[in-house]
Amino acid sequence: MIKMLEASQFDRIFGSLDPFPYNRSFTQNLEASRRSLEGFLFIDRVLKALNLSKATSHYPPKSKDALRQLYEHISESKNATIHHKLSVVYYILLDIDEQNGTNQAEAYSQRASIPKKYKIFMKGLWHMDALQFDLALQYLTHPSLQPDFIDDIITVLVRHSKNGDYSLPLAYYHTVQPIIQSSTALELLFDSLARSSVIDAFQFSRSHADFMRRQLFQRLVLSVLGSAHNEGASEKALDLTSLPFDTQEEQWFKECLNSGEGKRLPVAKDTLLMRRIATGQPGYGGEAGTWAVVLEGVKTGSGGRAQT
């Protein structure tokens, strides 16, 4: 195993670099990906985590000399471990392989004895930077990995979801079961859950302490009822009003729709009536045809069919 990186190893590691892989087209693609990924590639995030922020100014390198400078920043760092340094070099070699059709990254990883889990993780991040999210998850959900950059991964996956399909961020979350730190990532994930499964989002809200639980519960109510014109809205409203609320949740539900943010929604009154019917409250449970009328009110988003 390589125990240290030295500037003199550059030519041996990278070879002739002919043609130079970071041509104008590839560099423009990387910069476009950087803009698409909240302004930071995942390799930028890695370098920052390793206290190598200065190195990000050299990526992507515009010339062989710039690549040499980037390598020297990595090799001369006193902050990063050898495994981390080797992993960054491995990432760069993945770029070269992609452009030149070579197999330098794998050959180097074997010579340097880079641990498999480091290779798996860096390849996952490399695919994230290439916006190949389905391929990225094949690596980032590997059981050998300790989850890292969790909030960033979830944020990117949710914001790049298309046509209401949140299967990738939800697959990542359910497989890895990470602890989410930032409120932004938590809210994005929860919204994805709410749009995909009301029941799953409800159970997720219950896994948090009371203050956050209430916030998430209200977010679920507003998410379901705020999309009343969308396909499947009435079914989701029915799922919501049929949930097994405890006493506290029942109170939150009423407050949200009677006096909270949900009061402004056209379907607020209809939804409260749906809840009364679902729980068999006296005077509502046996009204023939009421379900159909109220569901139609929720479906059209017009409201006004229920009087409270």
Side-chain angles (χ1 to χ4, degrees), residues 175-233:
T175 304
V176 177
Q177 290 291 303
I179 297 173
I180 301 169
Q181 301 292 336
S182 78
S183 58
T184 298
L186 179 63
E187 290 170 358
L188 285 170
L189 176 66
F190 187 75
D191 289 346
S192 301
L193 281 166
R195 290 165 188 154
S196 304
S197 169
V198 173
I199 296 171
D200 287 350
F202 176 62
Q203 294 297 341
F204 182 87
S205 72
R206 284 185 156 183
S207 68
H208 290 74
D210 280 352
F211 175 73
M212 181 55 67
R213 179 184 165 197
R214 180 172 186 171
Q215 284 191 323
L216 293 176
F217 179 85
Q218 178 170 295
R219 196 174 186 90
L220 173 61
V221 174
L222 297 175
S223 173
V224 171
L225 302 183
S227 56
H229 291 289
N230 295 348
E231 185 179 351

Side-chain angles (χ1 to χ4, degrees), residues 122-134:
M122 293 307 289
K123 194 144 193 187
L125 296 185
W126 186 87
H127 281 298
M128 289 290 291
D129 286 341
L131 309 184
Q132 299 167 347
F133 304 122
D134 51 345

Side-chain angles (χ1 to χ4, degrees), residues 20-289:
F20 186 67
Y22 294 94
N23 56 39
R24 182 177 180 181
S25 175
F26 187 43
T27 298
Q28 287 177 339
N29 286 341
L30 289 171
E31 292 294 359
S33 290
R34 180 176 271 148
R35 290 191 295 273
S36 181
L37 297 172
E38 316 294 316
F40 298 95
L41 292 165
F42 279 89
I43 189 61
D44 297 334
R45 294 172 166 98
V46 169
L47 293 171
K48 182 179 179 181
L50 299 177
N51 292 314
L52 285 167
S53 295
K54 288 184 179 179
T56 60
S57 63
H58 296 285
Y59 185 87
K62 306 297 192 296
S63 65
K64 186 174 179 178
D65 285 341
L67 177 57
R68 188 184 294 274
Q69 282 186 295
L70 174 59
Y71 172 75
E72 288 174 356
H73 273 296
I74 298 165
S75 63
E76 293 172 2
S77 171
K78 305 299 183 184
N79 300 312
T81 68
I82 185 60
H83 283 157
H84 289 136
K85 292 181 182 181
L86 296 174
S87 297
V88 174
V89 172
Y90 174 76
Y91 178 102
I92 297 169
L93 291 172
L94 289 173
D95 281 346
I96 295 172
D97 288 348
E98 172 70 10
Q99 286 298 102
N100 293 351
T102 55
N103 194 36
Q104 289 178 253
E106 184 57 32
Y108 176 72
S109 72
Q110 292 182 14
R111 290 200 312 272
S113 299
I114 299 176
K116 186 177 179 181
K117 65 180 181 180
Y118 284 83
K119 290 165 51 180
I120 292 171
F121 185 59
M122 293 307 289
K123 194 144 193 187
L125 296 185
W126 186 87
H127 281 298
M128 289 290 291
D129 286 341
L131 309 184
Q132 299 167 347
F133 304 122
D134 51 345
L135 290 175
L137 291 201
Q138 293 179 27
Y139 296 92
L140 296 175
T141 57
H142 196 277
S144 68
L145 299 184
Q146 279 288 103
D148 207 348
F149 300 109
I150 296 158
D151 293 4
D152 295 325
I153 290 170
I154 287 175
T155 298
V156 165
L157 291 175
V158 173
R159 288 181 172 165
H160 282 80
S161 295
K162 297 178 180 178
N163 303 318
D165 180 6
Y166 297 98
S167 55
L168 288 181
L170 296 182
Y172 176 75
Y173 172 74
H174 288 307
T175 304
V176 177
Q177 290 291 303
I179 297 173
I180 301 169
Q181 301 292 336
S182 78
S183 58
T184 298
L186 179 63
E187 290 170 358
L188 285 170
L189 176 66
F190 187 75
D191 289 346
S192 301
L193 281 166
R195 290 165 188 154
S196 304
S197 169
V198 173
I199 296 171
D200 287 350
F202 176 62
Q203 294 297 341
F204 182 87
S205 72
R206 284 185 156 183
S207 68
H208 290 74
D210 280 352
F211 175 73
M212 181 55 67
R213 179 184 165 197
R214 180 172 186 171
Q215 284 191 323
L216 293 176
F217 179 85
Q218 178 170 295
R219 196 174 186 90
L220 173 61
V221 174
L222 297 175
S223 173
V224 171
L225 302 183
S227 56
H229 291 289
N230 295 348
E231 185 179 351
S234 58
E235 290 80 3
K236 288 182 178 177
L238 182 56
D239 286 342
L240 175 67
T241 54
S242 302
L243 289 170
F245 297 162
D246 62 20
T247 304
Q248 199 171 38
E249 290 160 341
E250 198 73 56
Q251 184 63 30
W252 294 341
F253 185 74
K254 291 176 182 177
E255 288 177 1
C256 178
L257 296 178
N258 277 323
S259 57
E261 284 188 56
K263 184 180 180 181
R264 60 182 169 77
L265 297 170
V267 296
K269 290 184 177 181
D270 285 340
T271 305
L272 287 166
L273 178 55
M274 286 174 69
R275 180 63 183 172
R276 291 174 189 145
I277 297 169
T279 53
Q281 292 184 29
Y284 295 98
E287 292 186 19

